[in-house]
Amino acid sequence: MKFFRMRLILALVMGITLISVASTYFEVLAHKHVLRQELVRRTAWQGKSLQLEMEKAVAGGQSAGIAAEAALRRSQNEALGLAVYDMQEGLVTEAGPAGVFGALPRGPLDKAIKQGIDSSAFGHLGNQQWLEEAIPLYVDGRMAGALVILEDARFIHAEGVLVWRQSFWRIAAFVLLIVCVTLLMVRWFLMRPMMVVTDRLKRLRMGQSADDADENLAELSLFTPLVHEVELMAESLMGARAAAETEARLRDAGEHQWTAERLAVHIRERFGSSRIFVLSNREPYMHVLQGRETVCMVPPSGLVTAIEPVLRACDGVWVAHGSGSEDALNVDEFDRLRVPPDDPRYTLRRVWLSSEEEAGYYDGFANEGLWPLCHIAHTRPIFRASDWEYYQRVNEKFAAALLEEMEGSANPIVFVQDYHFALAPRLIKAARPDARVAIFWHIPWPNPEAFGICPWQAELLDGLLGADLIGFHIPLFCNNFLSTVDRVLESRTDREHMTARRGRHTSAVRPYPVSVALEGSKPERKTPEPSREELLKEFGLRCETLIVGVDRMDYTKGIVERLMAVEKLIEEHPFYLERLTMVQIAAPSRSRIPSYVNLRRQVEEIVERINQRYQTASWKPILLIERQCSHAEVDLWYRAAALCLVTSLHDGMNLVAKEYVAARDDEDGVLVLSKFAGAATELLDALIINPYDAEGVAEAIHRGLEMDRDERRMRMQRMRQHVMDHNIYRWAASILGDLRDLRMETPEPADPGRALPASVSPSEIVHRKLAQKAGIR
Ligand code: G6P
């Protein structure tokens, strides 16, 4: 650092001195030029008056010598000497310093006598400097000789020296000032940020949290991009350290826990050169406008946590609907982009849908048809033929995009997500028999009677059976699915091996309970967390006990039933008046669909009614937060709540239950969980309730709030252990591992009737379908 400073100072001194000397040099030249011109002008003017005087004196018979002496005396202060020359350039008379006129150059005199014009020149003798001015003299109209005036010009040199002297001090002061200012700037704007960053890195290297330095970092707006990069680096450093520690701990304990890193290694080792392709409706990264700025956000979904390490490990491809308002502006000409934006490791291929397609396929068939069909929540499914058309068309469109991405990849692995793409497995497998295809159904599968009301159940089942592996959350859904296949399709199901065989293809049907990313290591709290009081203060409320519910605003979640149960609790136990508040976070969802609009209105009305009934100035029994909250925000509520309520009327798994358990690293808190959520088959230490039984739920809440600390801790410890052992990484590893291990029949050649060559554009597919329907060949 010292060396850097020395070099900087040296460079500054040399640079500034050089520039200043050059500028002074030109300044002196200009100044001298002005002084010379001024002297020439003054001497010429003086010469003119002397010329007249001399001519008059000579014409009046006076001797030129006497006249010159007299003139010199008068101009004592100005002229140094005067001389008169005759026409032969002989010196007639001189006045002034002795011997000077003899040594004069003859140039100006020559010009005056020979050409009859005034002439001047600067000359010097030793350190004597002068200006010589020669002027012709006329007597009676005829040239009679010349007058030469000598002017002292030493002051011009003296003035130049003065300017140099003054400049020297100015340059010195200037250099000093600039060096000081630069050193200060280096210190403030370079050294300080560097010290902060260095300090941060040092502390991270030593395994300490670096977040208390945030205040300093905020100051360094100029260095924000650098700081951001350092942050990212630090994060991966900390992540790698935590992963290594966890791995070491796991090895030491001989445990079988899964981490993101272990999943990545597993994928690399097991899948070798096979590439993995994921198909889902929701994309992992979405470009949207925030104010005037485009931001890239991760839609709240547990799927990204599980799938990202997999795709990162093999540089895979994720095909999904580009639903962000700015998505189309952030892809290349093939509708692709590399993600995550901060550390690109895999490809996201966006597929575009028209508003009609979205309305028919997503709002209509998927969410007004299949969603209520599979969830027994007493909301009637709506099946429209036009929605079914769109559902098929969009499945074909996504399959075509996926096949396009798969071109050139041998033995690809395809992992399709959810009820939006029941037809895709068959389409993909028909075009690429060498692909291993799995689909995971993230929602329940009802019994065959319930499923049977779907007019296109056979087509949906046939589409699904194109997959080599079909995953559900729990064994019950697998059994329901096999029973439905049995009843609807010509096929052979095998309950012992959990398979369904249709034609020459066998699909394995297995349970894989989805989960959250809880790992062994305890997360370090970055900043002190707000307390319950602080969280509620924002809403002008106070309470002694907080309970929480977190859901999408969806009729399957039993939000209305939950509110009724809380009302019942207060009725039965007025002790909770002004003491207990339930915070209900409800993220708006599928808000174009009438049943969702109605639910929202109903929830708001009930909350209003209950609050009106009991609330005081600073307390409310229910606080409804209707917006999408980040994971971090939700975690704060989870940790501040004594109890979490999950009252789904029917749910594939319900990750809120597991998220609550994962958030409670203090091993406290009670989970009240619906028996109709898949999670109830795993989280046996929750208080299991029937959401339709308001009294039962109220009693369970009461019991949970009364439970002693030891029992709470014991239950929470067991649930945490379970979630840790069965986390999201194990889920992904199990499905993909099983898919890898499946014994595949020799691939049949692609079925041209069903295959969708990747080159076929979506509009061609639709056209072909319509033509087939109309019987046109
Ligand atoms: C359920 C589905 C997911 C879906 C999520 C959010 O969990 O199984 O596939 O992504 O709800 O719903 P949305 O319609 O907003 O994607």
Side-chain angles (χ1 to χ4, degrees):
M1 195 42 74
K2 255 187 197 160
F3 188 53
F4 166 75
R5 241 182 263 161
M6 287 301 294
R7 276 195 310 179
L8 185 70
I9 293 174
L10 208 69
L12 278 172
V13 171
M14 277 169 52
I16 301 164
T17 309
L18 210 70
I19 294 169
S20 304
V21 166
S23 98
T24 308
Y25 173 75
F26 287 111
E27 191 188 329
V28 169
L29 273 191
H31 191 56
K32 279 184 168 176
H33 180 70
V34 170
L35 290 178
R36 280 192 180 134
Q37 284 209 320
E38 174 62 20
L39 186 62
V40 168
R41 197 183 50 73
R42 204 161 13 97
T43 311
W45 176 82
Q46 194 184 358
K48 281 289 164 207
S49 63
L50 283 173
Q51 179 191 21
L52 272 177
E53 195 178 324
M54 292 292 287
E55 282 172 354
K56 263 192 212 157
V58 175
Q62 202 177 339
S63 110
I66 293 167
E69 281 287 352
L72 186 60
R73 238 176 284 119
R74 267 198 321 280
S75 66
Q76 197 88 56
N77 294 333
E78 291 149 18
L80 184 68
L82 286 177
V84 176
Y85 290 85
D86 60 19
M87 287 303 285
Q88 283 72 45
E89 298 185 14
L91 185 61
V92 177
T93 182
E94 63 178 315
V100 173
F101 285 100
L104 276 184
R106 292 287 163 150
L109 183 64
D110 266 4
K111 268 193 185 165
I113 289 194
K114 292 189 178 139
Q115 297 172 24
I117 53 172
D118 297 359
S119 171
S120 64
F122 282 91
H124 61 87
L125 196 64
N127 46 11
Q128 178 81 356
Q129 289 188 325
W130 67 80
L131 169 68
E132 176 189 354
E133 172 87 21
I135 303 163
L137 289 176
Y138 293 89
V139 177
D140 299 334
R142 293 182 54 212
M143 196 193 289
L147 169 67
V148 172
I149 305 170
L150 270 189
E151 279 287 348
D152 192 351
R154 271 173 306 183
F155 75 96
I156 295 178
H157 174 72
E159 286 275 330
V161 170
L162 194 67
V163 173
W164 274 113
R165 195 170 296 145
Q166 283 168 351
S167 293
F168 172 79
W169 292 115
R170 203 184 57 207
I171 293 169
F174 206 48
V175 168
L176 197 70
L177 199 72
I178 289 188
V179 167
C180 288
V181 169
T182 310
L183 286 180
L184 277 179
M185 280 169 61
V186 166
R187 195 188 172 88
W188 283 336
F189 301 120
L190 207 68
M191 304 298 289
R192 255 183 57 187
M194 298 255 283
M195 300 270 282
V196 172
V197 174
T198 312
D199 183 50
R200 199 172 172 79
L201 285 175
K202 204 186 287 169
R203 292 199 294 157
L204 286 169
R205 184 165 49 77
M206 284 154 57
Q208 297 166 359
S209 159
D211 291 276
D212 47 352
D214 271 354
E215 264 175 41
N216 291 337
L217 285 175
E219 267 178 44
L220 316 172
S221 54
L222 191 68
F223 284 81
T224 306
L226 176 69
V227 169
H228 180 61
E229 280 306 312
V230 171
E231 287 278 329
L232 287 178
M233 215 173 76
E235 256 170 43
S236 25
L237 209 78
M238 279 170 75
R241 183 194 299 275
E245 272 169 17
T246 310
E247 283 300 323
R249 201 174 51 73
L250 294 181
R251 260 199 309 279
D252 188 42
E255 288 177 47
H256 291 287
Q257 256 179 32
W258 281 86
T259 61
E261 287 70 24
R262 183 170 167 195
L263 176 59
V265 171
H266 178 79
I267 294 295
R268 265 196 295 273
E269 277 176 5
R270 298 290 296 279
F271 290 81
S273 58
S274 293
R275 245 183 139 190
I276 298 180
F277 298 83
V278 171
L279 172 62
S280 74
N281 177 64
R282 280 264 168 246
E283 56 183 338
Y285 293 92
M286 208 174 177
H287 284 91
V288 289
L289 269 188
Q290 226 169 57
R292 285 209 198 137
E293 230 179 280
T294 299
V295 293
C296 184
M297 57 168 278
V298 180
S301 146
L303 203 59
V304 184
T305 318
I307 302 295
E308 199 146 79
V310 172
L311 292 185
R312 274 166 174 265
C314 65
D315 192 358
V317 181
W318 190 326
V319 178
H321 173 209
S323 54
S325 60
E326 308 305 298
D327 275 359
L329 301 173
N330 288 283
V331 287
D332 65 12
E333 70 264 44
F334 305 108
D335 299 328
R336 295 180 189 135
L337 70 154
R338 299 284 292 166
V339 287
D342 282 338
D343 180 20
R345 296 290 189 84
Y346 66 95
T347 301
L348 169 60
R349 161 76 188 270
R350 285 176 171 155
V351 176
W352 315 113
L353 295 181
S354 67
S355 49
E356 293 79 18
E357 283 173 330
E358 227 184 306
Y361 137 84
Y362 173 79
D363 291 339
F365 196 78
N367 287 324
E368 286 189 282
L370 288 180
W371 181 265
L373 175 76
C374 292
H375 289 93
I376 312 297
H378 312 287
T379 295
R380 190 184 167 142
I382 299 171
F383 291 113
R384 302 180 194 93
S386 55
D387 289 348
W388 170 239
E389 275 299 322
Y390 277 117
Y391 187 79
Q392 294 173 86
R393 182 194 291 196
V394 170
N395 267 252
E396 285 161 2
K397 192 178 202 176
F398 275 89
L402 191 83
L403 289 168
E404 207 173 286
E405 295 299 325
M406 280 159 62
E407 256 177 57
S409 294
N411 305 315
I413 305 290
V414 179
F415 190 14
V416 181
Q417 306 299 321
D418 232 346
Y419 60 101
H420 309 94
F421 296 118
L423 306 178
R426 172 74 64 201
L427 296 169
I428 295 161
K429 195 74 180 176
R432 287 292 301 266
D434 63 321
R436 286 174 181 261
V437 180
I439 180 163
F440 189 80
W441 196 260
H442 287 257
I443 61 177
W445 192 280
N447 60 45
E449 290 74 24
F451 198 79
I453 65 169
C454 174
W456 298 284
Q457 61 166 337
E459 286 86 341
L460 291 170
L461 289 169
D462 181 62
L464 285 167
L465 289 179
D468 301 298
L469 177 62
I470 305 170
F472 294 96
H473 288 297
I474 56 175
L476 172 68
F477 303 156
C478 297
N479 286 324
N480 284 346
F481 175 75
L482 286 174
S483 304
T484 315
V485 171
D486 243 351
R487 197 171 289 194
V488 179
L489 289 184
E490 226 177 89
S491 61
R492 205 149 30 91
T493 56
D494 176 346
R495 299 297 174 128
E496 196 188 332
H497 297 101
M498 297 297 278
T499 55
R501 188 167 176 81
R502 178 156 166 81
R504 292 175 56 198
H505 180 251
T506 304
S507 306
V509 180
R510 304 266 159 82
Y512 303 97
V514 81
S515 193
V516 294
L518 182 59
E519 290 180 27
S521 50
K522 217 175 167 180
E524 237 181 77
R525 297 270 169 268
K526 294 195 168 173
T527 41
E529 290 194 344
S531 62
R532 179 187 68 242
E533 287 82 9
E534 284 163 332
L535 286 172
L536 285 173
K537 208 166 151 194
E538 190 193 327
F539 302 91
L541 297 177
R542 261 191 318 216
C543 77
E544 284 171 21
T545 307
L546 195 98
I547 62 179
V548 71
V550 180
D551 306 86
R552 279 185 305 104
M553 185 68 94
D554 193 301
Y555 50 81
T556 61
K557 303 296 177 186
I559 300 174
V560 169
E561 288 71 11
R562 186 179 314 170
L563 295 170
M564 304 300 229
V566 172
E567 186 176 29
K568 185 61 71 197
L569 175 75
I570 296 174
E571 275 170 13
E572 298 288 322
H573 303 278
F575 164 81
Y576 290 117
L577 276 173
E578 297 191 50
R579 289 199 166 97
L580 175 103
T581 294
M582 181 181 86
V583 175
Q584 175 63 53
I585 298 175
S589 180
R590 305 172 190 168
S591 34
R592 290 185 299 252
I593 300 174
S595 49
Y596 286 78
V597 176
N598 293 339
L599 172 77
R600 185 173 181 179
R601 194 175 317 122
Q602 198 188 353
V603 166
E604 285 169 356
E605 278 169 12
I606 297 176
V607 169
E608 181 66 16
R609 184 182 60 69
I610 300 176
N611 280 343
Q612 288 294 341
R613 187 172 165 195
Y614 295 115
Q615 74 187 11
T616 64
S618 61
W619 175 80
K620 270 183 192 173
I622 294 159
L623 170 63
L624 178 63
I625 303 176
E626 274 187 276
R627 66 178 171 83
Q628 184 70 60
C629 296
S630 67
H631 277 303
E633 262 179 288
V634 171
D635 266 7
L636 295 180
W637 288 107
Y638 281 150
R639 282 197 279 273
L643 182 146
C644 176
L645 267 175
V646 176
T647 55
S648 311
L649 305 183
H650 200 193
D651 220 330
M653 173 52 64
N654 193 290
L655 285 182
V656 168
K658 291 186 176 179
E659 275 170 15
Y660 179 65
V661 169
R664 297 310 302 248
D665 50 18
D666 59 350
E667 298 177 339
D668 203 350
V670 175
L671 176 65
V672 172
L673 177 60
S674 163
K675 65 181 190 179
F676 303 121
T681 62
E682 292 184 77
L683 302 177
L684 306 175
D685 284 286
L687 300 182
I688 305 294
I689 47 97
N690 172 358
Y692 293 95
D693 170 15
E695 281 81 2
V697 178
E699 274 321 299
I701 299 174
H702 180 57
R703 189 182 150 208
L705 295 177
E706 297 275 281
M707 194 183 282
D708 67 64
R709 173 77 176 104
D710 286 348
E711 186 179 349
R712 292 201 306 266
R713 180 185 290 133
M714 196 185 64
R715 285 172 179 263
M716 188 52 84
Q717 276 174 347
R718 282 200 294 243
M719 289 194 286
R720 281 178 64 78
Q721 191 59 51
H722 179 87
V723 176
M724 231 179 274
D725 291 346
H726 299 85
N727 62 14
I728 188 75
Y729 307 117
R730 172 178 287 238
W731 174 83
S734 311
I735 300 181
L736 293 169
D738 286 356
L739 181 61
R740 175 79 262 174
D741 294 343
L742 281 182
R743 210 159 49 81
M744 298 256 287
E745 291 110 359
T746 324
E748 294 166 32
D751 173 356
R754 280 194 145 133
L756 279 171
S759 55
V760 177
S761 74
S763 57
E764 271 176 87
I765 298 163
V766 176
H767 183 73
R768 207 170 60 187
K769 277 251 156 200
L770 294 174
Q772 271 175 3
K773 283 224 157 118
I776 306 163
R777 294 267 139 205

